Amino acid sequence: MTAASPRILSVIPPMTQLNTPYPATAYLTGFLRSRGFHAEQTDLALLLVLDLLSRAGLPGLKAAAETIPPKKRSRTLKTFLNEYDRYLAAIDPAIALLQGRDGSIAHRICSRAFLPEGPRFSAIDNYVDDESGDPLAWAFGALGIQDRARHLATLFLNDLADVLREAVDTRFEFVRYGETLAQSQASFDLLATALAAPPTLVDDTLARLTRAAIERHQPDLVLISVPFPGSVYGAFRIAQTIKATRPEIVTVLGGGFVNTELRELAEPRVFDYFDYVTLDDGERPLLALLDQHFGARPATTSKLPPVLNADAPASACRPAGDDSGLVRTFARVDGAVRYFDCGLPDIPFEEVGTATWDGLPLDRYLSLLDMLNPMHRLWSDGHWNKLTVAHGCYWKKCSFCDINLDYIGRYDAASAKTLVDRIERIVEETGHTGFHLVDEAAPPKALRAMAEELQRRNLAISWWGNIRFEKSFTPELCLQLADSGCIAVSGGLEVASDRLLKLMKKGVSVDQVARVTRAFTDAGILVHAYLMYGFPTQTVQDTVDALEYVRQLFAENCIQSGFFHRFACTVHSPVGRNPEEYGITLQPLPPVTFAKNDVHFIDPTGVDHDRLGKALNKALYNYMHGICLDQDVRSWFDERVPKPRVGHNFIARALGAQYD
């Protein structure tokens, strides 16, 4: 390492998730430390919520709510102000329960007399009742005290989030904070206006936490990863504070949103906040940037042959003083945005090192229980170490997917030994044995090899992740995966129509999905299905048929959870690039200087998919709770729809077929 080695701080911005750290900073911090750099990390998303929703933070929220005239106060605000003393007394114990630090308070919470109950609690009235008169007995029984209390505490926090949204910032969400400011926004104007507006209580709190983090870590370089549009506003507010406080600190923007939507960035104002914006995997661009800006190079040497040396300095491909040594990086030069890429190879997935959560307060994350479905709750409940089995997608054919982008299109796997070595190190560091595999679709061969290695080492963990419902997942393999610790899988059934699945190039059929999902269920593994509506040329009949397939899959215990997504055409997908193949016409995009992703299109079918979507989601919510599985699917729709063409026992017959 050179004498100029900088101090690096990676930041998780608001809002991502509250139950476990979003993994980008853990990956980068682990990689940078493996190369000898001084790297730290902090989660300002978590710290922001814990500060606002605390005994010390609620007075500020109360003051903001009181500025709203009484006649304009909603039921949410009235409940909060009228019951303020109870909110103040309950907030810290409720947080402690959700953090797993004080389980004894669960008994008081379950009494329904401790927490003040705002509008969010009205949802309980919709739950199935039993003879005892307890509306939650079906979910928790007589002894599920901890889970019942966490569900009530989650509703309590959701009420407070509603207060924040109404009294402080209408854009506030626990996940999608200010999403519309950035998502597919061709111009930076909307975000720029928001950043120039007087700061809200949320903004002031985030600025204070940012200054504290800078003071504590004294970084020379701050990396901010924005995975979603809902974390962009917070990221820019953090960078704004850094530039106002310590302008000499170099700020870098990266992450999933950047990789997807800022590939044609031409807006100079972005660089009032960030010195650099990097695309795709961050390891190689960061090594090049560290070499370029700080003259700092890794202390370790790659085992690759010299011609593909993963630690080759960026200076090897640029003249002295030339910015072309950067890799996949935007910067502002003489007032204009320029893109630099000297073409050095990416770091092989086998060599990116092990993620580290060191520096993140793992005991302060909140295990929220808002959805009572056993599978659906996994996304917000419990600590899950994030792990990637392979870089990219081994299938990379689905027509709705951004298969042309690096994070999907470049497939690169690691050996089972390397993966399980990483698992062992992460368990030793965190003390947590739960893993969420965050691949686009984990390859069956890689999962089998990982399972064999876990079994060989007799290592006890729990894991779940995303897959494709392909026939390689035989009953035998499903049993082996379960024995290795697999507790759940999620995968795309999408439109649940063989015609449209073929058009999507999904590579599966409905009957195949039925057999594969049932094999997982029979092995004791929960199954979540990603579902889609509004795909090009999808008719009302297709939609009704799809819902009938889904109903039967639930009824036959093939899947236990699902979610209907509205199809969005993106500029990077095969549909967006070749719309004529899918029978649609794209609407022209405005001139783009900032974000570019979603593109509207004209579908000759003329179906009102948004109206149909309400029925689909209502039906699915009931199916996930085991309700109305024998009901005619047409009853969910407000308007008259055609009778399903699907045989009433189609899935049952498919389950009787043998694997090829």
Side-chain angles (χ1 to χ4, degrees):
M1 188 65 57
T2 67
S5 179
R7 297 173 64 89
I8 305 166
L9 176 64
S10 295
V11 177
I12 302 173
M15 299 296 294
T16 48
Q17 58 187 123
L18 297 177
N19 64 306
T20 198
Y22 195 80
T25 65
Y27 293 160
L28 290 176
T29 301
F31 169 74
L32 290 168
R33 288 185 182 180
S34 74
R35 301 304 171 103
F37 290 100
H38 180 98
E40 304 290 344
Q41 58 187 325
T42 187
D43 189 342
L44 293 185
L46 174 69
L47 297 181
L48 176 66
V49 169
L50 294 181
D51 193 293
L52 290 169
L53 303 186
S54 66
R55 191 176 181 92
L58 286 193
L61 185 54
K62 176 175 180 283
E66 288 175 333
T67 64
I68 297 176
K71 291 184 178 180
K72 294 185 178 181
R73 291 173 188 170
S74 67
R75 180 188 165 196
T76 297
L77 292 183
K78 290 176 180 177
T79 302
F80 173 69
L81 292 174
N82 292 339
E83 302 282 345
Y84 175 73
D85 288 342
R86 293 182 64 200
Y87 276 96
L88 197 63
I91 184 62
D92 285 352
I95 292 291
L97 172 80
L98 294 171
Q99 291 174 330
R101 294 188 293 108
D102 185 7
S104 61
I105 198 65
H107 295 273
R108 290 197 67 188
I109 291 175
C110 288
S111 73
R112 301 290 298 276
F114 179 65
L115 297 179
E117 298 188 357
R120 290 284 188 154
F121 284 78
S122 62
I124 294 176
D125 298 332
N126 297 323
Y127 293 153
V128 177
D129 205 345
D130 70 350
E131 294 180 359
S132 70
D134 179 359
L136 292 176
W138 68 274
F140 303 111
L143 296 177
I145 300 297
Q146 293 296 318
D147 274 358
R148 182 191 296 249
R150 289 197 299 115
H151 178 56
L152 295 171
T154 300
L155 296 177
F156 174 69
L157 288 198
N158 288 338
D159 270 330
L160 287 171
D162 292 341
V163 175
L164 269 168
R165 190 177 309 109
E166 294 185 33
V168 177
D169 188 341
T170 58
R171 302 162 303 202
F172 184 83
E173 297 278 354
F174 279 149
V175 176
R176 297 176 176 178
Y177 180 30
E179 182 178 61
T180 57
L181 296 174
Q183 187 173 32
S184 297
Q185 288 289 344
S187 169
F188 188 68
D189 289 349
L190 196 62
L191 186 55
T193 299
L195 293 169
T200 66
L201 173 65
V202 177
D203 296 328
D204 284 336
T205 304
L206 181 58
R208 172 168 50 81
L209 294 170
T210 299
R211 289 191 293 269
I214 296 302
E215 180 64 26
R216 176 185 177 188
H217 295 285
Q218 293 295 313
D220 303 295
L221 174 67
V222 173
L223 313 175
I224 305 180
S225 179
V226 287
F228 318 116
S231 53
V232 173
Y233 175 74
F236 272 80
R237 278 291 189 185
I238 292 168
Q240 184 182 54
T241 300
I242 293 173
K243 289 304 181 185
T245 307
R246 294 276 301 278
E248 74 278 8
I249 294 176
V250 177
T251 52
V252 182
L253 180 68
F257 169 81
V258 177
N259 301 339
T260 303
E261 302 209 23
L262 300 190
R263 305 194 75 86
E264 298 179 24
L265 181 63
E267 174 55 74
R269 288 177 292 176
V270 168
F271 298 90
D272 293 338
Y273 306 87
F274 293 96
D275 297 288
Y276 300 99
V277 176
T278 66
L279 294 180
D280 301 325
D281 281 9
E283 290 88 357
R284 170 56 71 195
L286 285 177
L287 290 184
L289 192 154
L290 288 163
D291 179 23
Q292 169 80 10
H293 195 97
F294 296 96
R297 299 177 186 173
T300 59
T301 302
S302 171
K303 299 176 183 178
L304 294 178
V307 73
L308 292 177
N309 191 341
D311 289 328
S315 56
C317 60
R318 63 173 169 82
D322 186 351
D323 286 331
S324 63
L326 297 173
V327 175
R328 299 194 303 274
T329 299
F330 292 100
R332 184 169 59 186
V333 180
D334 297 329
V337 179
R338 290 186 59 190
Y339 180 66
F340 301 94
D341 186 8
C342 77
L344 282 174
D346 275 296
I347 308 299
F349 185 65
E350 185 86 18
E351 297 191 15
V352 295
T354 302
T356 178
W357 281 264
D358 179 51
L360 297 177
L362 299 185
D363 60 339
R364 300 186 68 194
Y365 285 85
L366 306 172
S367 284
L368 303 177
L369 186 49
D370 48 6
M371 175 62 78
L372 301 184
N373 179 279
M375 171 72 204
H376 218 79
R377 65 185 283 183
L378 293 180
W379 276 274
S380 62
D381 181 20
H383 175 91
W384 300 101
N385 300 311
K386 307 288 187 177
L387 183 73
T388 306
V389 173
H391 181 282
C393 178
Y394 70 100
W395 179 251
K396 54 188 175 188
K397 294 180 183 179
C398 298
S399 60
F400 58 83
C401 193
D402 293 340
I403 61 176
N404 297 293
L405 299 184
D406 178 81
Y407 80 97
I408 293 176
R410 181 171 59 85
Y411 180 69
D412 184 13
S415 68
K417 178 182 182 304
T418 295
L419 290 174
V420 179
D421 284 347
R422 291 172 181 173
I423 288 172
E424 287 189 320
R425 287 197 291 271
I426 291 169
V427 170
E428 182 179 2
E429 177 190 291
T430 66
H432 292 280
T433 59
F435 286 81
H436 180 194
L437 309 184
V438 292
D439 298 71
E440 293 300 309
K445 289 183 179 180
L447 291 180
R448 182 190 293 275
M450 185 184 77
E452 291 173 348
E453 186 68 13
L454 287 168
Q455 292 167 320
R456 188 185 69 78
R457 300 190 196 187
N458 198 26
L459 186 60
I461 67 168
S462 298
W463 61 269
W464 61 289
N466 200 41
I467 62 164
R468 292 181 61 252
F469 294 131
E470 62 172 74
K471 61 184 180 182
S472 299
F473 288 106
T474 63
E476 293 75 20
L477 177 55
C478 292
L479 286 169
Q480 182 180 19
L481 297 181
D483 186 65
S484 74
C486 181
I487 60 171
V489 294
S490 56
L493 174 56
E494 316 308 350
V495 289
S497 159
D498 284 337
R499 177 183 75 84
L500 293 174
L501 285 171
K502 185 176 181 180
L503 184 62
M504 284 182 169
K505 301 179 182 178
K506 187 69 184 176
V508 299
S509 62
V510 176
D511 57 347
Q512 176 183 312
V513 169
R515 293 192 291 271
V516 171
T517 53
R518 183 59 180 270
F520 277 111
T521 297
D522 287 346
I525 297 171
L526 296 170
V527 180
H528 174 90
Y530 291 112
L531 302 161
M532 183 184 295
Y533 65 100
F535 193 75
T537 73
Q538 184 173 2
T539 64
V540 174
Q541 181 71 67
D542 289 328
T543 302
V544 173
D545 291 348
L547 186 57
E548 174 61 19
Y549 281 129
V550 171
R551 183 196 67 79
Q552 292 185 33
L553 287 168
F554 273 99
E556 294 293 337
N557 198 29
C558 294
I559 61 177
Q560 292 76 48
S561 173
F563 187 81
F564 268 108
H565 300 259
R566 176 72 158 87
F567 169 75
C569 181
T570 68
V571 295
H572 308 295
S573 68
V575 176
R577 292 194 168 194
N578 305 292
E580 65 282 352
E581 294 182 15
Y582 302 90
I584 61 172
T585 303
L586 301 185
Q587 295 184 353
L589 286 169
V592 175
T593 57
F594 187 52
K596 180 180 180 182
N597 191 40
D598 294 356
V599 54
H600 296 293
F601 61 92
I602 300 172
D603 188 333
T605 60
V607 175
D608 185 351
H609 293 293
D610 290 335
R611 184 179 178 89
L612 295 175
K614 295 177 182 178
L616 295 175
N617 285 302
K618 186 176 181 180
L620 195 61
Y621 180 85
N622 283 274
Y623 294 165
M624 285 195 293
H625 291 85
I627 304 171
C628 303
L629 288 173
D630 294 327
Q631 186 171 304
D632 190 321
V633 296
R634 290 174 291 178
S635 64
W636 298 109
F637 298 90
D638 293 333
E639 69 270 29
R640 186 180 181 86
V641 296
K643 181 181 179 180
R645 295 172 301 188
V646 181
H648 198 68
N649 60 348
F650 176 90
I651 297 299
R653 290 200 311 270
L655 293 174
Q658 298 297 313
Y659 285 93
D660 293 340

